[in-house]
Amino acid sequence: MIREFKVAFHSFEDVRDFVFLAVAQPFDVTVSNSWQSVNGKSLMVMFSLDYSQPLKVGANCAEEEFLHFREAAARFVV
């Protein structure tokens, strides 16, 4: 099941840290805006997004995994 939360990034380091966090997850992570969805585990494609607005993170995982991931990403959550 896809579970979602919103994030905001304010620097290169924020994006890099989020990607490292996403890579550590055993499930698919997507990051999207209103017109584009990308692999949240790829630093290169993450930089193709517009960061002027909050982004939606989708995690294809169980509820317990989702809660752990969202907690680990708390500094980005809006």
Side-chain angles (χ1 to χ4, degrees):
M1 176 176 202
I2 303 290
R3 301 168 196 287
E4 300 176 337
F5 60 93
K6 291 199 176 214
V7 295
F9 303 120
H10 304 290
S11 68
F12 167 80
E13 289 78 14
D14 284 353
V15 177
R16 181 198 63 206
D17 292 351
F18 179 84
V19 169
F20 288 156
L21 177 62
V23 166
Q25 306 311 308
F27 47 81
D28 292 338
V29 175
T30 58
V31 179
S32 58
N33 54 27
S34 58
W35 63 88
Q36 183 180 15
S37 181
V38 301
N39 179 353
K41 296 183 177 190
S42 172
L43 188 60
M44 191 68 116
V45 297
M46 283 288 289
F47 283 112
S48 68
L49 293 172
D50 175 10
Y51 296 104
S52 64
Q53 299 290 323
L55 301 167
K56 183 170 49 174
V57 174
N60 188 9
C61 61
E63 181 71 17
E64 186 175 320
E65 291 174 310
F66 174 75
L67 293 174
H68 176 71
F69 178 44
R70 189 174 187 279
E71 182 180 320
R75 74 179 206 170
F76 309 116
V77 175
V78 292

